[in-house]
Amino acid sequence: MSDTKLLSLSEIFNNKIFRIPDFQRGYSWEERQLEDFWEDIQNLSPNKIHYIGLLTVEPIKESDILNIEKWKDDLWLFKKGLSAYYVIDGQQRLTTLIILLHEILRTFSDDKGINYGQKSEWIDRFLYRSYNSIYKSFVFGYEKDNPSDEYFKTKILEQESSTADKYPETLYTANLMFAKKYFAKKLKVLNKESKESIFDKVINRLKFNYYEIDDSLDVYVTFETMNNRGKSLSHLELLKNRLIYLSTLLHEDDETKGRLRRDINETWKTIYEYLGKNKDNPLDDDTFLFNHWIMYFTYDRSQSDVYAEFLLKKKFTSKNVLCNKISIEEIKAYIDSLSKCVKQWFYIFNIQYSSYSSRIKEHIQKLERVGWGAFPPMIMAVFTKESNEDLIWDFLDACERFNFLVFAISHRASRYCSKKCV
């Protein structure tokens, strides 16, 4: 890495643009993290600085993205002398800061100054730059194939986009909106001077340890190593990064590897769309991964989180790819199964949204009342592979009878979910 620098947001956003790459997780901060963050800002004295953590970035060479479709709309920024970077570590804090800055700026009219600068100057520096007064390139955001990209632009930064409706809402986009509303509520009760004080703290007095990764480091391995601070990455989030990394190591042509990478991204879009589809009943990502592992591979309770140990340390490893012990066909089959099964996993716990008949819905509701026992992975498999409702009904009926007799009548404790509860 390059030498560390302790820099403020104003110093970091100095003719630079930042993108969150596709192997990164989305925005995961919830109320607890936002409360701690807001309290830190409130308690910071105007003449003091506050260390906010590590910001690790990877420089993006113009030559590497010149022919990549998703970068074409932003290439003009390079001609303007700006440099581009991928955010490898620190994206949660950085995203939070940008949301807060936007919420502060939107409370000021266009002709009003703030902290000795025009509102337009701060927008140009931290949010987006305009080309020909029509097209905008965003200073900070996600790569274009990330479902959070359009949501961040249109719902969080409130800008127009012709493709805004093409991307689903996910658990991550729900977190983005929660942060936006959280800060809007906090700022609503503050006067102009208080908001200017917070603005000054955010851009000048919160300091990052700023690192730029050099070419000798593997960015995917660096991400796995560094991103276990703050709110820990889920195993599902780590698995996405691992599979994208493995796609670069496969003994295949670049077009094939690129297509697999796109398929991995599409799979995770689908996963997080369905896990967060019911905002009143969001589903846990690692619980889904655990149950899918039982269904797809095997069940072993010999140690805690054995499913993650298997997926990340035994199955999907660089050694297995380099030694030809795992093929592109195996990876493709696995992610295809994840994509299909997450939809059925959603319907198991939100059966009212399914197209199943009333008798199937009634049986699922009965199972909910009696207790799931060890059957969710099996139900997911049946829902995914079987279309005959008579057979599905017979299976659910057997599950209900078993759980009622074993757990309700005999009062035996179910061992299902001793490590991961549904």
Side-chain angles (χ1 to χ4, degrees):
M1 287 189 184
S2 62
D3 293 337
T4 179
K5 303 171 185 176
L6 199 61
L7 299 178
S8 67
L9 209 62
S10 284
E11 293 167 318
I12 293 168
F13 280 71
N14 183 18
N15 285 324
K16 297 183 181 73
I17 63 170
F18 298 92
R19 293 291 179 268
I20 299 170
D22 59 2
F23 57 82
Q24 279 269 24
R25 65 170 163 184
Y27 187 67
S28 64
W29 274 24
E30 298 172 332
E31 187 170 11
R32 181 177 63 81
Q33 289 83 16
L34 293 171
E35 288 281 6
D36 291 342
F37 176 79
W38 182 257
E39 186 175 340
D40 285 343
I41 293 176
Q42 292 292 93
N43 293 336
L44 179 60
S45 299
N47 59 342
K48 299 289 185 179
I49 66 169
H50 176 67
Y51 173 68
I52 196 171
L54 183 66
L55 179 60
T56 305
V57 300
E58 178 195 19
I60 301 171
K61 298 177 182 177
E62 183 181 4
S63 57
D64 291 341
I65 61 172
L66 202 55
N67 297 314
I68 298 178
E69 179 66 28
K70 61 187 175 185
W71 274 95
K72 285 187 176 179
D73 291 342
D74 297 327
L75 289 176
W76 70 276
L77 293 170
F78 287 88
K79 307 302 181 186
K80 295 279 290 184
L82 276 71
S83 303
Y85 298 84
Y86 282 129
V87 180
I88 307 305
D89 190 29
Q91 65 121 328
Q92 304 293 335
R93 295 178 182 86
L94 201 55
T95 305
T96 304
L97 289 169
I98 296 302
I99 294 173
L100 176 53
L101 285 179
H102 175 264
E103 291 308 300
I104 294 173
L105 288 171
R106 71 189 295 271
T107 65
F108 287 78
S109 59
D110 292 341
D111 59 343
K112 295 291 184 182
I114 176 172
N115 287 57
Y116 306 104
Q118 291 297 310
K119 178 179 176 179
S120 58
E121 294 176 32
W122 299 120
I123 288 175
D124 190 71
R125 183 163 194 154
F126 295 111
L127 302 182
Y128 48 81
R129 297 198 176 199
S130 298
Y131 175 66
N132 284 343
S133 301
I134 301 175
Y135 297 106
K136 294 184 178 72
S137 285
F138 290 79
V139 177
F140 170 83
Y142 299 83
E143 285 195 294
K144 285 188 179 298
D145 57 1
N146 189 310
S148 294
D149 172 57
E150 289 294 329
Y151 193 91
F152 190 75
K153 292 175 183 176
T154 59
K155 303 297 185 182
I156 305 304
L157 301 186
E158 302 172 19
Q159 300 302 302
E160 296 291 332
S161 172
S162 59
T163 58
D165 296 330
K166 293 183 179 180
Y167 295 94
E169 295 186 14
T170 67
L171 288 170
Y172 294 140
T173 59
N175 289 337
L176 287 169
M177 181 54 70
F178 183 86
K180 177 182 177 68
K181 291 180 177 179
Y182 175 90
F183 289 129
K185 183 178 179 180
K186 293 292 185 182
L187 294 167
K188 189 175 182 179
V189 299
L190 300 181
N191 59 28
K192 180 177 182 291
E193 290 73 22
S194 296
K195 286 184 284 189
E196 286 185 320
S197 174
I198 292 172
F199 189 87
D200 176 64
K201 290 176 183 179
V202 168
I203 67 171
N204 294 320
R205 307 199 180 281
L206 300 180
K207 298 277 187 173
F208 281 98
N209 253 344
Y210 182 82
Y211 285 89
E212 288 186 18
I213 292 179
D214 60 39
D215 293 337
S216 63
L217 286 177
D218 191 305
V219 67
Y220 304 103
V221 177
T222 302
F223 170 78
E224 280 197 28
T225 303
M226 300 180 72
N227 276 267
N228 278 311
R229 292 182 302 278
K231 185 176 180 183
S232 297
L233 289 166
S234 69
H235 297 308
L236 184 64
E237 290 164 333
L238 283 169
L239 181 60
K240 177 190 177 186
N241 172 72
R242 175 64 60 80
L243 293 177
I244 288 178
Y245 173 50
L246 296 185
S247 74
T248 68
L249 303 178
L250 289 164
H251 306 296
E252 304 285 346
D253 60 85
D254 288 343
E255 175 59 31
T256 301
K257 290 192 287 188
R259 186 164 185 173
L260 178 62
R261 181 170 182 153
R262 291 192 294 273
D263 287 342
I264 293 168
N265 277 315
E266 288 299 322
T267 296
W268 258 255
K269 286 180 190 178
T270 301
I271 290 173
Y272 280 106
E273 175 190 356
Y274 276 86
L275 291 180
K277 204 171 186 68
N278 184 351
K279 293 181 175 63
D280 297 324
N281 182 32
L283 302 174
D284 182 73
D285 47 3
D286 279 345
T287 301
F288 164 67
L289 184 63
F290 169 69
N291 282 272
H292 182 270
W293 166 75
I294 293 173
M295 187 205 79
Y296 196 86
F297 290 108
T298 184
Y299 180 57
D300 182 350
R301 60 168 68 253
S302 61
Q303 66 184 78
S304 176
D305 283 348
V306 66
Y307 77 102
E309 181 84 10
F310 173 83
L311 292 172
L312 293 168
K313 296 185 179 180
K314 294 180 181 179
K315 183 65 177 178
F316 297 112
T317 67
S318 56
K319 180 180 178 181
N320 283 347
V321 171
L322 295 173
C323 295
N324 292 317
K325 291 183 178 179
I326 186 169
S327 65
I328 187 171
E329 289 81 10
E330 286 182 80
I331 296 175
K332 184 67 166 64
Y334 178 66
I335 64 174
D336 284 349
S337 176
L338 284 170
S339 184
K340 292 177 183 176
C341 288
V342 73
K343 298 172 185 177
Q344 304 310 320
W345 186 251
F346 169 77
Y347 291 129
I348 291 171
F349 301 102
N350 298 274
I351 194 65
Q352 68 273 23
Y353 297 114
S354 76
S355 60
Y356 285 113
S357 65
S358 58
R359 64 178 187 149
I360 298 294
K361 292 178 179 178
E362 287 171 4
H363 247 318
I364 288 291
Q365 291 163 351
K366 287 179 182 178
L367 268 172
E368 263 189 313
R369 291 193 293 270
V370 173
W372 293 106
F375 290 112
M378 297 173 67
I379 298 171
M380 177 166 56
V382 170
F383 274 17
T384 302
K385 298 179 180 180
E386 184 56 66
S387 58
N388 186 319
E389 285 211 357
D390 289 334
L391 294 178
I392 294 173
W393 190 92
D394 289 341
F395 170 73
L396 293 175
D397 187 59
C399 293
E400 181 198 348
R401 288 172 180 272
F402 180 89
N403 281 352
F404 181 76
L405 290 171
V406 173
F407 306 126
I409 300 299
S410 69
H411 301 291
R412 289 178 60 185
S414 171
R415 290 300 181 188
Y416 173 68
C417 290
S418 59
K419 301 301 181 186
K420 287 280 177 184
C421 292
V422 174

